[in-house]
Amino acid sequence: MREQIRLPLLSRVPEWAWVAVDTAIALVLAASFLGLAASRNVSEPDALDQAAALATALPVAVRRLWPRAVFVIVLVGGLGMREFLIPHADPLCLPLALYTLTTRGRAVLPLLAAGAATVQGVLAFPVTGTVRDQLGLVLAILAAAWAAGTAVRQRRRYTEQLAAQAEERARAQAVAERLRVARELHDVIGHSLSTIAVQAGVAGHVGEAGEMSRTLASIEETSRSALRETRRLLGVLREDGEADLAPAPGLADLGALVARTRAAGLDVDLTIDGDAAGEMGLTVYRIVQEALTNVLKHAGARHAAVRVEREEDALTVEITDDGTRGAARPYGHGLTGLRERVHLFGGEFEAGARPVRGYRVMARLPL
């Protein structure tokens, strides 16, 4: 199942909605600042005060789109506001612009610039003692806006990292699942078709009706078994929840597997001293299946032996044959897939020619 990262609710709000909210805030602040400027100059409006008020308030509407430009404009506009107008502007527009800029990246220099501009704005004009007393509060608000922006930026970065890690894990899981299904299909189809081909070849040279009937019955059973396993594997890939939930083969199915191999003309001895279920049972089955398939296809053998033995802390699977082409046996994708299966359990896998004649496949799976 794909891992999901739950994002904060506010992060799901579309960008245009935030711009609309910021526009409303900017208009309210602009009207408030213009009212303050008009109250200072009852007889004649001061154009500089009005321009400074608009430059300080209106850019807030686009603070999310161009945070750096908005911060600079608000900072310069605040410098143009005189006397008692300064403490009304700085605790609102400049901290908001600083917060937005900080959420996009490190903003230590903008914080220092905002603090210096605030101190200069208060000290450069003949303001009242009350305004000077509010200087510490204004600086504290700027520091709080910077700290809040930093926290939001770090939180966003952390969430993005979690999302990237979850996506990477999902991608790796999908790749592993495809490899697993590919191995399963190789084992099912490769073994079944090889067995059918050998049996069909035998049937072509058998003249007795009884023997041919048994061979054809074995071909039918092998085909049906392959179809059942193929449907099970393809069902795993379905997304509508209607997968064929037939159980995967395990140790209990080794007898039927050996019987089909015997029907193909290979004498097989089967010894089982132990038990394994679930994924380990399927792995044991696939090891035996692939090994016997290779014996039929490549070994030129008459006899094979399958041994499954449970030890104190492991389950050992060994398949040997008396073929004459052990040294020339091809090392294909099937044995590579078996090695990968065994390594998933942290086990050991060996495959190679025997000293005198024949071939040996051995896997040791820790319990």
Side-chain angles (χ1 to χ4, degrees):
M1 182 179 295
R2 184 180 178 86
E3 184 175 356
Q4 297 181 349
I5 300 296
R6 294 186 177 274
L7 299 177
L9 180 61
L10 293 180
S11 65
R12 305 173 192 172
V13 179
E15 187 73 18
W16 64 265
W18 287 119
V19 174
V21 172
D22 290 339
T23 301
I25 294 174
L27 293 176
V28 172
L29 291 176
S32 175
F33 292 163
L34 288 176
L36 288 173
S39 65
R40 274 190 65 230
N41 304 281
V42 179
S43 59
E44 183 179 354
D46 190 328
L48 181 59
D49 278 350
Q50 292 178 344
L54 293 177
T56 305
L58 291 182
V60 172
V62 291
R63 64 185 179 90
R64 300 175 189 274
L65 302 180
W66 301 288
R68 291 184 177 85
V70 169
F71 175 79
V72 173
I73 295 174
V74 171
L75 182 64
V76 175
L79 293 176
M81 305 185 73
R82 300 177 182 176
E83 298 185 8
F84 64 88
L85 199 54
I86 295 174
H88 292 283
D90 287 353
L92 296 173
C93 296
L94 189 58
L96 188 57
L98 178 63
Y99 163 81
T100 306
L101 182 61
T102 307
T103 59
R104 307 300 176 88
R106 297 182 182 273
V108 178
L109 292 180
L111 173 64
L112 297 178
T118 301
V119 173
Q120 186 274 340
V122 172
L123 299 180
F125 298 102
V127 294
T128 63
T130 303
V131 174
R132 294 180 185 275
D133 293 340
Q134 292 179 352
L135 177 59
L137 176 61
V138 174
L139 294 178
I141 293 175
L142 288 174
W146 179 84
T150 301
V152 170
R153 187 184 75 252
Q154 293 176 347
R155 174 62 180 175
R156 287 175 180 172
R157 181 179 300 175
Y158 174 71
T159 303
E160 290 173 356
Q161 290 176 349
L162 287 182
Q165 292 173 0
E167 184 177 357
E168 184 65 26
R169 286 194 294 269
R171 187 181 298 108
Q173 184 177 1
V175 172
E177 185 67 14
R178 288 197 297 270
L179 290 176
R180 186 188 71 81
V181 173
R183 288 194 299 263
E184 291 282 310
L185 287 174
H186 174 276
D187 294 341
V188 172
I189 297 175
H191 168 78
S192 301
L193 291 181
S194 297
T195 304
I196 290 172
V198 172
Q199 291 173 332
V202 172
H205 294 83
V206 172
E208 298 180 3
E211 184 66 24
M212 180 173 291
S213 176
R214 286 192 296 271
T215 301
L216 293 177
S218 178
I219 291 176
E220 180 183 6
E221 175 58 28
T222 302
S223 304
R224 292 184 182 277
S225 176
L227 287 174
R228 284 195 299 269
E229 290 200 57
T230 302
R231 282 196 297 266
R232 178 183 64 83
L233 289 174
L234 296 180
V236 174
L237 303 178
R238 294 175 62 91
E239 298 181 355
D240 55 8
E242 298 180 359
D244 186 358
L245 300 180
L251 263 64
D253 301 285
L254 287 179
L257 174 65
V258 168
R260 291 195 298 269
T261 306
R262 288 170 179 164
L266 178 66
D267 183 22
V268 182
D269 291 337
L270 175 63
T271 303
I272 300 178
D273 182 13
D275 192 16
E279 190 66 25
M280 181 172 289
L282 175 61
T283 299
V284 172
Y285 182 90
R286 294 303 185 208
I287 292 172
V288 176
Q289 184 184 53
E290 177 65 22
L292 292 180
T293 300
N294 285 342
V295 173
L296 284 174
K297 292 169 59 177
H298 307 296
R302 295 184 177 180
H303 180 79
V306 177
R307 179 177 64 89
V308 180
E309 182 178 0
R310 182 187 180 98
E311 302 175 356
E312 181 178 353
D313 58 348
L315 188 69
T316 300
V317 185
E318 185 180 49
I319 303 95
T320 57
D321 65 75
D322 60 356
T324 58
R325 297 191 293 271
R329 185 81 59 86
Y331 190 83
H333 295 294
L335 292 183
T336 301
L338 294 185
R339 186 181 299 275
E340 293 173 354
R341 287 177 182 272
V342 173
H343 286 174
L344 288 177
F345 288 92
E348 304 173 4
F349 181 82
E350 297 177 5
R354 300 170 68 185
V356 178
R357 60 183 295 174
Y359 202 81
R360 174 177 178 266
V361 174
M362 190 281 295
R364 190 173 185 273
L365 304 172
L367 296 176

